[in-house]
């Protein structure tokens, strides 16, 4: 229940130790990319202590490569921003969206640090 409340407010206690970072292999992996747009997320949670799982809307073809993730260190916290770089034009009915996992290692984040998901959360 506590984690759900944190997710709804956009805050998650996680681990991290990085500066602004482009995620390798992801187009538009930094904030300055004008083609990316901030994704409204449905939910976010931590699995174990080293995987960030974000639920996003999908029409059936959404995959991890459709997103750019930026991690910025701010004081003792790390802000995670998720931007969609490719639209999903499929026509499947997925009312609960899909879950996309990012390992802390991918994000340049160490277990135990504070991470805040900056994206808006669908109400």
């Amino acid at each position: 229940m506590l984690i759900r409340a944190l997710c709804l407010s956009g805050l998650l206690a996680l681990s991290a130790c990085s500066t602004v970072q482009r995620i390798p292999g992801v187009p538009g992996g930094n904030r300055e990319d004008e083609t990316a747009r901030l994704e409204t997320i449905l939910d976010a949670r931590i699995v174990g202590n080293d995987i960030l799982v974000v639920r996003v809307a999908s029409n059936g073809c959404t995959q991890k490569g459709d997103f750019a993730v930026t991690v910025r260190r701010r004081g003792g916290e790390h802000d995670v921003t998720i931007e969609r770089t490719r639209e999903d034009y499929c026509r499947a009915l997925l009312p609960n969206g899909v879950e996309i996992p990012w390992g802390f290692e991918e994000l340049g984040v160490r277990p135990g640090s504070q991470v805040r998901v900056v994206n808006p959360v669908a109400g």
Side-chain angles (χ1 to χ4, degrees):
M1 184 67 150
L2 176 60
I3 289 183
R4 178 119 175 110
L6 291 175
C7 290
L8 293 176
S9 69
L11 297 175
L12 295 172
L14 307 175
S15 302
C17 187
S18 77
T19 56
V20 175
Q21 178 177 345
R22 184 171 193 276
I23 306 305
V26 178
N30 57 37
R31 198 114 169 102
E32 291 76 26
D33 187 338
E34 296 297 324
T35 64
R37 65 178 176 83
L38 204 57
E39 181 72 5
T40 298
I41 63 174
L42 304 175
D43 193 19
R45 71 181 192 286
I46 302 305
V47 176
N49 67 350
D50 64 348
I51 299 172
L52 169 63
V53 178
V54 178
R55 183 178 299 275
V56 295
S58 174
N59 292 329
C61 295
T62 298
Q63 51 192 304
K64 189 175 192 173
D66 298 339
F67 298 93
V69 178
T70 303
V71 179
R72 292 184 184 218
R73 186 174 181 160
R74 297 182 57 145
E77 292 186 340
H78 297 78
D79 289 348
V80 174
T81 304
I82 301 164
E83 297 170 293
R84 188 180 287 265
T85 58
R86 191 172 332 143
E87 293 296 323
D88 179 349
Y89 293 110
C90 290
R91 295 176 184 234
L93 296 174
L94 299 172
N96 296 320
V98 296
E99 291 186 334
I100 308 288
W102 281 278
F104 283 14
E105 186 175 318
E106 287 181 87
L107 301 173
V109 172
R110 289 189 319 208
S113 301
Q114 296 292 316
V115 171
R116 182 171 64 127
V117 177
V118 179
N119 295 61
V121 179

